[in-house]
Amino acid sequence: MATASGAFKSREDHRKQIELEEARKAGLAPAEVDEDGKEINPHIPQYMSSAPWYLNAEKPSLKHQRKWKSDPNYTKSWYDRGAKVFQAEKYRKGACQNCGAMTHDAKACMDRPRKIGAKWNNKHIAPDEKIETFELDYDGKRDRWNGYDPANYALVVARYEARDAARSRYVKEEQLKKLEEKNNSENPEEVSDEDIDDDVRVDEAKVDESKQMDFAKVEKRVRTTGGGSTGTVRNLRIREDTAKYLLNLDVNSAYYDPKTRSMREDPLPDADPNEKFYLGDNQYRNSGQAEEFKQLNIHSWEAFDKGQDIHMQAAPSQAELLYKNFKVNKEKLKTQTKDQMLEKYGNAASQDEIPKELLLGQSESQVEYDRAGRIIKGQEVVLPKSKYEEDIYINNHTSVWGSWWKDHQWGYKCCRQTVRNSYCTGAAGIKAAEAATDLMKANIARKEADDAELPAPAEEKRMATWGTEVPDDLVLDEKLLAEALKKEDQRKREEKDERKRKYNVKWNDEVTAEDMEAYRMKKVHHDDPMKDFLH
């Protein structure tokens, strides 16, 4: 069937060729052999077995279907990890500014960020890494174990063997200790073989506790071809107890989340607490060691925010130890503060009698004042200070902002300025402001006098919309005009959209002066250049 192309065949030769192919397919004739001596499957279709004309194939062959390009030089080697090529003594242009190597830049540098890089101090120049490129084949690119050294697994095997050996040696030592105690004891009958076996069994449990933890073991298949990987799930709930979602079947009772198997609220809030064995998950979260664990987490977060290198999940033992030390130091500080307060002010609960001068909060100090309120004799009372900054003068002011008030505006008393960031002008500024105020008042008075002397303006003739004169006897009602304007707007909307027109239309032929004025006001004049700005 894999025949050479290009040869002309007669009708008889073509018929014989078809018969031969049928016989080869039926197994009655031997299969065709190519130029390499390999048999050709007779069931291969002709479009696959026949060679293209440009190959000039003289004998049947399937070479045109095989890979004719030579394979590139694929390699199975891997990167030489940690290998260095050259180490310079001085910094080179274009090298990493941090370590001085030429094979990467500062952004991709894996060394510790130096305080002063190699570019500036020219010291400790790192050697250049060995850069290799490999051309891997299809399997090599997808081989997850490519570059793995099987000799490394010997360390894992050795570690497990050392652990087993240590366990067996520990058990033997314990057995020998028990036998020696039995031989050295005065009453050998007191120590039996069962006691020795029990002790050894307990010690062995200390070495490998996982073998003693198989209580209530449930096997489940999770994430495997048959339904998941087999994992051990420990169920600590006694099956005789009623499930918490069955304690109260009312639909308005505590919500049960089937995904997390949690019921936060109490399913039976009105029942006797002495008879309930389940009070809700929130009860367990806010009682027992859960509260202590919550405080431990809060302390870890606050300590981390204040700069301490502490993490509850990464180093729980360290976090717990620091929390214990914190509580001890806190108690010490409380006691020390309490002692200082008692030493300074005394203890009111003690049996010491209170001095008489302190019973009514009085003292014998006398202060005399004059009529102006100045102190003549005695010591001035110290005013309590607030947490805000006081008596801070800016921009050469001698008073604080807010010491002056006029015309609903705050200002400075020293210069009477109402701009907060203004520079103090002192008494000269006050005089200039008063002079400006007087000048402004004089100008206003003069303007009012001039306006009074002017003749009364002629009354302008009221014009209707678009220049139409309104008769003298015409009086328009403002309310009727507003209603007419609304009606005109509604009429125009109905003209634009006929769907807004009502089914029963009532016509009114009476046109009032207000309707005519509304029509003139709403009319569009096409000749007006400002018509687009009217509405």
Side-chain angles (χ1 to χ4, degrees):
M1 191 171 181
T3 58
S5 62
F8 176 77
K9 294 180 181 179
S10 62
R11 180 179 297 178
E12 187 67 20
D13 294 338
H14 186 66
R15 184 180 61 80
K16 290 181 180 179
Q17 180 69 26
I18 292 176
E19 291 179 355
L20 181 59
E21 290 176 359
E22 294 294 336
R24 286 173 177 170
K25 290 180 181 179
L28 302 177
E32 194 175 11
V33 180
D34 61 0
E35 57 186 6
D36 296 333
K38 297 180 180 179
E39 293 183 353
I40 299 175
N41 189 351
H43 298 282
I44 296 178
Q46 184 180 4
Y47 73 90
M48 294 178 61
S49 60
S50 59
W53 59 270
Y54 50 82
L55 291 181
N56 298 324
E58 298 178 355
K59 295 182 180 181
S61 175
L62 290 177
K63 281 187 176 182
H64 60 278
Q65 292 289 348
R66 297 190 180 97
K67 189 176 180 181
W68 56 275
K69 285 186 178 180
S70 60
D71 291 340
N73 296 326
Y74 292 132
T75 179
K76 292 186 178 180
S77 59
W78 198 244
Y79 301 100
D80 192 2
R81 298 180 181 178
K84 307 298 181 182
V85 180
F86 173 74
Q87 185 171 5
E89 296 180 356
K90 294 182 179 180
Y91 180 78
R92 296 159 291 176
K93 185 178 181 181
C96 175
Q97 298 180 0
N98 184 40
C99 66
M102 288 289 294
T103 51
H104 61 268
D105 54 357
K107 189 176 182 180
C109 185
M110 300 298 292
D111 286 4
R112 175 184 59 82
R114 303 181 184 181
K115 187 176 182 181
I116 301 176
K119 179 180 179 181
W120 294 277
N121 60 6
N122 215 6
K123 295 180 181 179
H124 306 291
I125 305 297
D128 300 341
E129 294 91 352
K130 184 179 180 182
I131 305 299
E132 298 177 284
T133 55
F134 299 117
E135 189 174 359
L136 303 174
D137 54 357
Y138 182 86
D139 296 331
K141 292 178 181 177
R142 291 157 180 81
D143 186 9
R144 59 186 302 217
W145 295 100
N146 197 358
Y148 177 72
D149 188 6
N152 295 337
Y153 193 72
L155 300 175
V156 180
V157 176
R159 184 166 65 249
Y160 277 92
E161 289 179 352
R163 188 191 65 177
D164 295 339
R167 179 183 295 127
S168 59
R169 184 167 59 253
Y170 176 79
V171 172
K172 289 180 180 179
E173 290 177 357
E174 293 297 325
Q175 290 178 353
L176 291 175
K177 287 181 181 179
K178 297 299 180 182
L179 291 175
E180 290 179 359
E181 291 177 359
K182 181 181 178 181
N183 296 331
N184 296 333
S185 61
E186 297 178 356
N187 298 326
E189 297 178 355
E190 294 181 358
V191 182
S192 60
D193 296 336
E194 295 180 358
D195 297 337
I196 296 175
D197 295 339
D198 292 340
D199 295 338
V200 173
R201 192 179 299 112
V202 172
D203 293 336
E204 188 176 359
K206 292 179 181 178
V207 178
D208 189 6
E209 295 180 355
S210 61
K211 293 182 180 180
Q212 308 294 331
M213 299 290 289
D214 290 335
F215 59 91
K217 184 176 178 182
V218 180
E219 296 288 343
K220 286 188 178 181
R221 300 183 63 80
V222 183
R223 293 184 183 174
T224 59
T225 55
S229 63
T230 302
T232 302
V233 180
R234 307 194 186 285
N235 196 341
L236 303 182
R237 184 176 70 82
I238 303 175
R239 289 296 174 179
E240 296 176 358
D241 296 340
T242 306
K244 50 189 173 184
Y245 54 85
L246 296 177
L247 293 174
N248 191 351
L249 299 181
D250 187 5
V251 294
N252 296 324
S253 63
Y255 174 71
Y256 174 74
D257 186 9
K259 186 174 183 180
T260 57
R261 299 180 183 179
S262 60
M263 182 182 288
R264 304 185 186 280
E265 299 178 1
D266 189 359
L268 300 171
D270 300 331
D272 186 7
N274 297 325
E275 297 178 358
K276 291 191 295 186
F277 68 93
Y278 180 73
L279 302 175
D281 294 343
N282 289 339
Q283 180 67 21
Y284 299 127
R285 291 179 180 177
N286 299 327
S287 61
Q289 295 182 349
E291 193 68 26
E292 298 180 2
F293 184 73
K294 194 182 300 182
Q295 295 296 331
L296 175 60
N297 275 324
I298 294 173
H299 173 262
S300 303
W301 299 334
E302 293 177 351
F304 181 78
D305 292 339
K306 292 179 181 178
Q308 293 190 14
D309 189 9
I310 178 175
H311 197 279
M312 184 60 194
Q313 280 72 31
S317 301
Q318 179 190 7
E320 187 175 1
L321 181 60
L322 290 175
Y323 182 56
K324 288 182 179 179
N325 295 338
F326 167 74
K327 290 196 293 185
V328 172
N329 295 334
K330 186 177 180 181
E331 291 296 330
K332 288 182 179 179
L333 187 60
K334 271 188 180 180
T335 307
Q336 184 178 358
T337 306
K338 185 177 179 180
D339 295 340
Q340 290 178 358
M341 297 292 289
L342 293 176
E343 183 180 354
K344 187 173 184 180
Y345 301 105
N347 188 2
S350 62
Q351 298 179 358
D352 299 337
E353 295 183 358
I354 301 175
K356 293 182 179 181
E357 61 270 10
L358 297 179
L359 286 174
L360 301 176
Q362 298 177 353
S363 62
E364 296 296 332
S365 58
Q366 184 179 359
V367 182
E368 295 182 5
Y369 298 90
D370 60 0
R371 292 183 179 181
R374 293 185 293 270
I375 297 176
I376 301 175
K377 182 180 179 182
Q379 187 177 3
E380 184 180 2
V381 180
V382 180
L383 296 176
K385 290 188 176 182
S386 65
K387 63 179 181 179
Y388 302 101
E389 296 178 348
E390 297 180 359
D391 299 334
I392 294 179
Y393 307 117
I394 60 174
N395 296 336
N396 203 28
H397 289 284
T398 57
S399 60
V400 296
W401 169 259
S403 58
W404 171 256
W405 169 263
K406 186 179 181 182
D407 297 337
H408 303 283
Q409 287 185 336
W410 293 104
Y412 294 99
K413 186 179 180 181
C414 54
C415 57
R416 297 183 183 179
Q417 295 196 61
T418 56
V419 181
R420 184 163 189 175
N421 293 329
S422 62
Y423 194 82
C424 183
T425 55
I430 296 175
K431 292 180 181 179
E434 291 176 353
T437 304
D438 296 340
L439 181 62
M440 183 178 63
K441 290 180 179 179
N443 292 334
I444 293 173
R446 188 177 68 253
K447 185 175 181 182
E448 289 177 353
D450 295 340
D451 293 341
E453 295 176 359
L454 292 175
E459 185 178 355
E460 294 183 0
K461 216 171 195 181
R462 187 182 168 200
M463 305 294 288
T465 310
W466 310 117
T468 306
E469 292 185 4
V470 180
D472 296 335
D473 57 346
L474 180 62
V475 178
L476 296 177
D477 191 354
E478 298 294 336
K479 293 184 179 180
L480 296 177
L481 181 59
E483 293 178 358
L485 288 172
K486 290 182 180 178
K487 290 180 181 179
E488 186 66 20
D489 291 338
Q490 185 178 0
R491 187 183 66 82
K492 289 196 172 187
R493 283 197 298 270
E494 290 178 356
E495 287 181 357
K496 292 182 181 178
D497 190 359
E498 293 185 355
R499 293 176 297 179
K500 294 184 178 180
R501 189 175 61 181
K502 296 181 180 179
Y503 182 75
N504 297 323
V505 181
K506 295 180 180 179
W507 296 96
N508 188 5
D509 296 335
E510 296 180 1
V511 180
T512 61
E514 288 81 3
D515 294 339
M516 198 64 192
E517 181 69 15
Y519 173 75
R520 291 193 190 100
M521 293 173 67
K522 294 292 183 179
K523 184 178 178 181
V524 178
H525 291 258
H526 298 282
D527 296 337
D528 187 4
M530 300 295 290
K531 64 178 181 179
D532 296 333
F533 299 95
L534 292 177
H535 304 291

